[in-house]
Amino acid sequence: MRTNAIDSQHNTMRTAVLTAYPRIFTNIDRAADVFFAAARRAVSYGFTFEPSLFVPNMAIELEARHKSLSRRLAALVDASTLVVELGAGLSTRRTEFPAVAYRELDFPTMVRFKADIYTDIGCETAAQDLVGVDLSAPGALASAIADWDLSPYRRIVVLSEGLFWYLKRKDIADMIRCFENAFAGTEWMWLTADCPVEERVDTEYRSVIADSSGRSPVEPFADYTDFAAFLHEHGFTVQRSRMTETVSPRELY
């Protein structure tokens, strides 16, 4: 494997730990369990962290985003649904939907790290649904999902939360084409909280995360209209909703 590919995977793991930290100030299910297990495991993976990298003021946004997506997802899934969470990192959403067919995709090193954490917190079954793949490599993604038996599923929900900030538009377009080919004949949709726009790229906590990951937002959209136009261009009918339509301020821990 190329050195820069190894570095990218390693940095992604650092980012996952850093974004897991603010969640301990929320009541997201299993958030504290996952972070502290990750912090213990990080030592064996050669991680070191400066205290200044841990930014608690992301907590409210992350909690609102997580709960909003989870509630939207809950309204879409049933026994015949497959959920495919992209760039899952240390997301705990899988543990909220134990009865739903679920796949979590991320870099292979991240997947191994998370499998260890799932074992540590008693969620070995969830570890079986982890898939290691570089999402920006179309051929690798196509190969990773080629052998999935999709016959039991009436609907597939692709889900992402924060992923687009670190991808080029071509990467997103390649993933769309890959899913169109792989899921042909099955209803599928993309549920996402990702809308990387230029005015939000330089906020302080995003800069901390970007500096740690080594992958600053590489191609933000000008605004939401630009983002929606991109999705329309690639065949999507876009439905927009705001977090406040799903989660009230009172529900934020």
Side-chain angles (χ1 to χ4, degrees), residues 2-72:
R2 300 186 308 277
T3 301
N4 62 345
I6 294 172
D7 290 345
S8 179
Q9 294 193 36
H10 192 271
N11 288 338
T12 298
M13 293 166 69
R14 285 175 58 83
T15 300
V17 175
L18 292 176
T19 53
Y21 171 72
R23 291 183 172 90
I24 70 174
F25 301 102
T26 74
N27 63 353
I28 294 173
D29 189 45
R30 306 306 297 267
D33 294 339
V34 166
F35 171 74
F36 288 112
R40 289 191 294 269
R41 284 278 182 179
V43 176
S44 65
Y45 282 82
F47 290 115
T48 58
F49 296 98
E50 294 294 329
S52 61
L53 292 175
F54 293 97
V55 184
N57 65 3
M58 294 174 67
I60 291 177
E61 179 179 340
L62 290 178
E63 182 177 15
R65 191 175 74 180
H66 178 98
K67 289 180 176 179
S68 181
L69 272 180
S70 289
R71 289 185 183 178
R72 294 289 181 185

Side-chain angles (χ1 to χ4, degrees), residues 57-230:
N57 65 3
M58 294 174 67
I60 291 177
E61 179 179 340
L62 290 178
E63 182 177 15
R65 191 175 74 180
H66 178 98
K67 289 180 176 179
S68 181
L69 272 180
S70 289
R71 289 185 183 178
R72 294 289 181 185
L73 181 61
L76 293 170
V77 300
D78 57 27
S80 63
T81 305
L82 171 66
V83 178
V84 181
E85 185 167 358
L86 306 179
L90 294 178
S91 164
T92 59
R93 184 171 289 106
R94 173 67 184 95
T95 65
E96 297 172 21
F97 295 88
V100 176
Y102 213 104
R103 302 287 186 277
E104 294 185 273
L105 277 60
D106 212 316
F107 282 124
T109 52
M110 184 67 233
V111 161
R112 289 193 290 273
F113 185 47
K114 193 169 192 179
D116 288 341
I117 293 165
Y118 273 149
T119 298
D120 290 345
I121 68 172
C123 294
E124 292 89 347
T125 301
Q128 299 171 11
D129 298 326
L130 293 163
V131 180
V133 63
D134 182 349
L135 294 170
S136 64
L141 179 58
S143 296
I145 63 181
D147 295 332
W148 292 0
D149 178 11
L150 302 178
S151 59
Y153 308 118
R154 177 181 58 83
R155 171 183 292 167
I156 299 172
V157 180
V158 175
L159 186 148
S160 61
E161 183 180 359
L163 176 65
F164 291 177
W165 289 87
Y166 305 106
L167 296 175
K168 294 182 179 179
R169 297 189 189 199
K170 181 182 182 301
D171 296 328
I172 302 169
D174 286 343
M175 283 194 289
I176 292 170
R177 282 190 290 270
C178 180
F179 293 139
E180 285 177 340
N181 292 332
F183 303 156
T186 303
E187 175 192 346
W188 77 280
M189 63 186 65
W190 200 317
L191 177 65
T192 182
D194 296 346
C195 184
V197 296
E198 292 173 354
E199 66 180 15
R200 301 190 66 203
V201 166
D202 295 326
T203 55
E204 181 182 359
Y205 62 79
R206 291 191 187 281
S207 296
V208 170
I209 297 301
D211 290 345
S212 173
S213 68
R215 299 191 68 176
S216 296
V218 288
E219 199 173 0
F221 295 88
D223 50 30
Y224 174 77
T225 301
D226 183 27
F227 178 67
F230 170 81

